[in-house]
Amino acid sequence: MELISSAERNRLFERFHHDAFHLELRDDYSVPDEDDPFQRWLAGEETEHSYLAPWLSLVRQSTARGMTVRRVRVVSEPLTPYIQWEHTVTAANEGAGEDIRWLPRRLLPADAVFPFDGQDWWLFDDRLLAVGYFDQAGRVLGSQIIEDTDTVTQCARLRDRLWTLAVPHTEYAP
């Protein structure tokens, strides 16, 4: 399987025009760029958001072009420390124009089928998937690009179903 880097995946935002949707299914997304801010937050310090600047810029550019950037975070409750921290910094994402919703695992439909063995994915304009893969330690390995119409349609249906069940960030109180 050929994987593209996170930077290459982010360049996909330049090729699409309507909607980018991310499904998150993990309870930890530790990445090197976030290690220091996360550890400072665990120590009780205020979170400084400079590590998010490239992402927030990409979201602002995308939404300025009229594109929606959305995500559903499927989470275990009680929240892991990482997801608690993520919840505290989500206002910065939303301030840049991203629409984020939370879905506790206990509210998942029993018949929901998650393709790709439960890996996260981005769906762009209902045409292209970027499926994320992680190593044993949870670090990002890269994304696989999938354009198969049946698979994309399956993911779009799942997106729509989960989006209606998920709670908007401003209403989710973990």
Side-chain angles (χ1 to χ4, degrees):
M1 158 179 28
E2 184 176 332
L3 300 177
I4 62 171
S5 69
S6 295
E8 290 170 305
R9 184 211 55 227
N10 287 350
R11 283 196 290 276
L12 292 173
F13 282 81
E14 299 167 8
R15 292 179 34 203
F16 295 91
H17 308 287
H18 304 290
D19 184 61
F21 172 83
H22 192 207
L23 177 63
E24 292 185 357
L25 298 167
R26 301 172 60 84
D27 285 321
D28 190 297
Y29 288 93
S30 298
V31 294
D33 290 349
E34 296 177 356
D35 285 346
D36 187 50
F38 178 53
Q39 291 304 316
R40 287 195 312 247
W41 178 83
L42 286 172
E45 298 175 26
E46 192 170 319
T47 300
E48 182 273 318
H49 296 101
S50 64
Y51 71 96
L52 275 175
W55 175 252
L56 299 179
S57 176
L58 179 62
V59 171
R60 281 188 199 97
Q61 291 168 13
S62 298
T63 57
R65 291 184 3 242
M67 189 173 178
T68 57
V69 180
R70 308 181 288 155
R71 76 175 75 210
V72 167
R73 291 178 169 150
V74 177
V75 295
S76 299
E77 293 179 322
L79 301 181
T80 64
Y82 183 89
I83 298 298
Q84 289 174 29
W85 173 65
E86 197 171 58
H87 187 268
T88 67
V89 300
T90 294
N93 294 70
E94 290 208 320
E98 191 172 357
D99 190 355
I100 298 175
R101 295 186 180 189
W102 301 82
L103 183 57
R105 286 185 204 287
R106 63 182 164 74
L107 299 179
L108 284 172
D111 64 343
V113 176
F114 292 90
F116 317 112
D117 295 323
Q119 299 294 331
D120 294 0
W121 40 264
W122 278 97
L123 175 59
F124 294 93
D125 287 350
D126 292 352
R127 292 191 340 222
L128 181 140
L129 288 161
V131 180
Y133 287 91
F134 301 83
D135 67 15
Q136 297 288 9
R139 303 293 180 164
V140 176
L141 294 172
S143 296
Q144 177 187 18
I145 300 301
I146 297 175
E147 297 181 88
D148 173 70
T149 304
D150 291 338
T151 305
V152 168
T153 299
Q154 176 189 10
C155 289
R157 284 188 191 123
L158 181 60
R159 174 208 54 210
D160 295 345
R161 188 172 186 198
L162 298 181
W163 186 255
T164 61
L165 295 171
V167 180
H169 174 68
T170 56
E171 297 173 24
Y172 180 66

